[in-house]
Amino acid sequence: MSRTDGRKLVALAGTAIVGALGFATIYLPFMADRDKLRGLFEEGEQSIPEGARREIQAIMKAERESQQRMEEVLQQQQQYEEAEQQKEKQKASPGSMWSSFRRKQ
């Protein structure tokens, strides 16, 4: 093998690398259907098995119920905090120093 054969081999390898990168950069994203390449293609609702569909619906229902419970708990916490703040305001309100000695009827 002579020197020129080595240079041709390196040039051929470089060209092959650039060609592969060009192919991957240009052809795959724009020309090929990416979903089919990944195996994610679906033809609508019929492609989902009935058992999987029921399981997905059960999970979604559980998530909605959990979300509603969390919202209720948060709302109760806010109401409790508001009530506590109002109690604090009533305690801190200035009054007569003799008010504790008044008779309550």
Side-chain angles (χ1 to χ4, degrees):
M1 235 169 134
S2 70
R3 251 190 150 138
T4 56
D5 289 336
R7 287 181 182 166
K8 287 180 183 177
L9 188 61
V10 170
L12 180 64
T15 304
I17 291 171
V18 169
L21 289 174
F23 175 78
T25 303
I26 295 170
Y27 176 76
L28 291 178
F30 300 112
M31 303 296 180
D33 188 3
R34 287 184 265 170
D35 289 339
K36 286 185 180 178
L37 289 175
R38 294 180 189 141
L40 299 175
F41 61 95
E42 295 179 3
E43 296 175 5
E45 291 292 318
Q46 297 86 11
S47 64
I48 300 174
E50 187 62 33
R53 185 177 299 131
R54 274 188 259 124
E55 189 174 334
I56 291 170
Q57 288 173 348
I59 291 171
M60 289 173 61
K61 182 179 177 183
E63 285 294 322
R64 280 192 299 263
E65 290 172 356
S66 173
Q67 182 70 24
Q68 287 174 350
R69 277 186 261 130
M70 290 296 288
E71 287 174 358
E72 290 172 1
V73 168
L74 182 62
Q75 191 175 27
Q76 288 174 356
Q77 274 184 333
Q78 288 175 346
Q79 289 174 352
Y80 177 76
E81 288 173 0
E82 287 174 3
E84 288 295 318
Q85 287 176 355
Q86 286 184 356
K87 286 180 184 177
E88 289 295 322
K89 282 182 182 178
Q90 288 175 354
K91 286 181 182 177
S93 64
S96 170
M97 69 180 205
W98 303 108
S99 64
S100 61
F101 295 112
R102 288 189 193 145
R103 281 191 192 177
K104 297 192 180 187
Q105 296 175 357

